[in-house]
Amino acid sequence: MRWLAVGLCCLLAAPASAQSWATRELCLEQAPKVHPEAFAPRTYEEIQQLAADIPNGTGRFWRVESADGAVSHLWGTMHSNAPHILDLPEAVTTEIAAARTVAIESDYTGQTRRDVFRQNAAARYILDNLTIDTVDFGIPLDMENWIRTRLAGLGWGYDAYATLRPAAIAEILLFHPCNDFHDGSFPIQDYHIQLQGALAGADLIGLEDRNAFYDRLNDPANLDLAAAIIATYGAYLDPEQSQEAYATFDALYLSGRIAEVMAWERAFFDHRYPDGEGADWLARTNAYLLAERNETFLATALPELEKGGLFMAIGAFHLPRDTGMIALLRREGYTVTRIPVPGEAP
């Protein structure tokens, strides 16, 4: 579920050998459909009731108009490379093609050789010998084993858990195992949108500095935050997965029911970690990835929004709630109106 929350470069998704449970059949060979049993022990009705309290929770596509009448657009992405996720609605592709500027969370197109060097330098990812023994994420042992298995399945090795920097581990976990099957062939939806904008002649910008995530999580002062993000995403490596859960997740996204996914996620953590530890991981993760970063996104976007013609594509989890982009834009005086697209809920 977290793969609506943040899109990063995912350079570390090396040899595409999936988590052993994340088979092609599980990931790709089921039609998006809501399966009520996927929400157990909650009922779907309970999830819908929880979702009703989340502001701006329905819809992926929004029109943003300034007080002077400048018009831009906001789209909530899913950081997936599955073909049915890459197949964008016509109204969305039309606005991408017409955009003056296309903005995604982070722009990883290299501008200089220094950019390329920093992005690929081993020191960006690997701990030095002086710090290896100082990193203890304090997460449950079963989750640590899931993460180690994930690292091994991508070619990093089972022991990479002790040698990769916190931001590197977090970034790997942000890259959903189901993306492995098309890695190197299909871009995730965010980069697909960026490419479409480039082909149409739009300017490209990132809403956050490309190094911000790494710089933040690799700072020893932020180890608790890194641990929370690793635990939040690591929880979804639980091998007790089902086709029904994946089909339901995709169906909710495609129908624009973002608040229902958020409510489902909270219910999952409350059930899986009833001592409150999971809710704490989730709260700290969201405070950074969804609230703090939204303010950064907004600050970058404001000059472009004043001009109009901006197409802004960010993870769908960034849209709802009082700290979401829709609320922040309205706070700044913009009129934000939902544009329903085919297949979405009313």
Side-chain angles (χ1 to χ4, degrees):
M1 303 170 197
R2 294 300 307 175
W3 297 279
L4 303 183
V6 61
L8 294 170
C9 183
C10 304
L11 287 175
L12 292 174
S17 174
Q19 189 84 20
S20 59
W21 50 265
T23 64
R24 187 177 181 87
E25 291 74 21
L26 176 69
C27 294
L28 302 176
E29 296 184 8
Q30 78 285 335
K33 176 184 177 181
V34 173
H35 296 268
E37 63 271 22
F39 302 102
R42 294 278 195 167
T43 66
Y44 185 30
E45 290 72 21
E46 289 175 324
I47 295 299
Q48 290 175 309
Q49 290 171 5
L50 293 170
D53 293 330
I54 299 176
N56 307 313
T58 303
R60 296 172 292 165
F61 196 30
W62 301 78
R63 184 179 188 270
V64 182
E65 184 174 357
S66 73
D68 295 332
V71 175
S72 295
H73 291 85
L74 172 66
W75 170 253
T77 69
M78 179 174 173
H79 308 310
S80 167
N81 59 20
H84 60 272
I85 300 299
L86 298 178
D87 187 14
L88 297 168
E90 182 178 358
V92 174
T93 59
T94 297
E95 295 301 338
I96 295 171
R100 177 184 56 81
T101 301
V102 170
I104 62 172
E105 293 181 28
S106 295
D107 179 14
Y108 289 95
T109 54
Q111 302 301 313
T112 66
R113 274 290 159 191
R114 183 176 178 81
D115 289 342
V116 175
F117 173 82
R118 184 173 182 186
Q119 198 67 36
N120 292 281
R124 178 179 173 88
Y125 308 118
I126 308 296
L127 286 167
D128 60 63
N129 290 331
L130 296 177
T131 57
I132 286 176
D133 294 333
T134 67
V135 177
D136 179 8
F137 299 121
I139 63 177
L141 182 59
D142 57 353
M143 185 189 293
E144 179 181 323
N145 287 331
W146 302 338
I147 295 172
R148 286 178 178 272
T149 301
R150 176 69 179 144
L151 297 175
L154 287 170
W156 287 93
Y158 191 78
D159 293 332
Y161 183 82
T163 60
L164 289 174
R165 291 183 180 275
I169 296 174
E171 184 181 47
I172 290 171
L173 299 183
L174 295 177
F175 189 71
H176 193 286
C178 286
N179 283 359
D180 294 350
F181 296 101
H182 291 139
D183 183 37
S185 299
F186 301 169
I188 63 170
Q189 190 193 92
D190 307 65
Y191 303 149
H192 175 58
I193 289 170
Q194 185 185 42
L195 176 59
Q196 295 306 307
L199 292 174
D203 293 332
L204 306 178
I205 64 170
L207 296 171
E208 179 181 64
D209 183 271
R210 58 193 284 164
N211 297 304
F213 181 83
Y214 264 77
D215 291 345
R216 180 68 171 272
L217 295 194
N218 284 337
D219 184 340
N222 295 321
L223 183 58
D224 285 349
L225 173 60
I229 294 173
I230 287 169
T232 298
Y233 284 85
Y236 286 113
L237 297 179
D238 187 335
E240 297 299 323
Q241 304 291 332
S242 70
Q243 286 185 319
E244 290 75 19
Y246 281 110
T248 298
F249 175 59
D250 284 1
L252 292 179
Y253 170 74
L254 291 170
S255 63
R257 293 179 169 94
I258 310 307
E260 291 183 14
V261 185
M262 293 176 129
W264 182 17
E265 175 181 60
R266 178 55 192 266
F268 165 80
F269 276 92
D270 286 344
H271 172 67
R272 184 69 175 79
Y273 303 98
D275 60 357
E277 187 175 31
D280 181 61
W281 294 331
L282 191 61
R284 284 188 285 157
T285 295
N286 286 345
Y288 168 55
L289 292 183
L290 301 183
E292 181 180 328
R293 292 175 70 244
N294 271 359
E295 294 285 357
T296 300
F297 295 169
L298 179 67
T300 303
L302 283 175
E304 301 296 333
L305 289 165
E306 286 302 302
K307 299 174 187 175
L310 175 68
F311 188 97
M312 182 165 39
I314 58 178
F317 267 22
H318 289 277
L319 274 55
R321 293 194 174 124
D322 293 333
T323 58
M325 189 58 66
I326 295 166
L328 296 186
L329 288 167
R330 288 172 176 162
R331 183 192 73 189
E332 296 297 320
Y334 289 87
T335 300
V336 187
T337 308
R338 181 187 170 195
I339 304 174
V341 297
E344 284 193 339

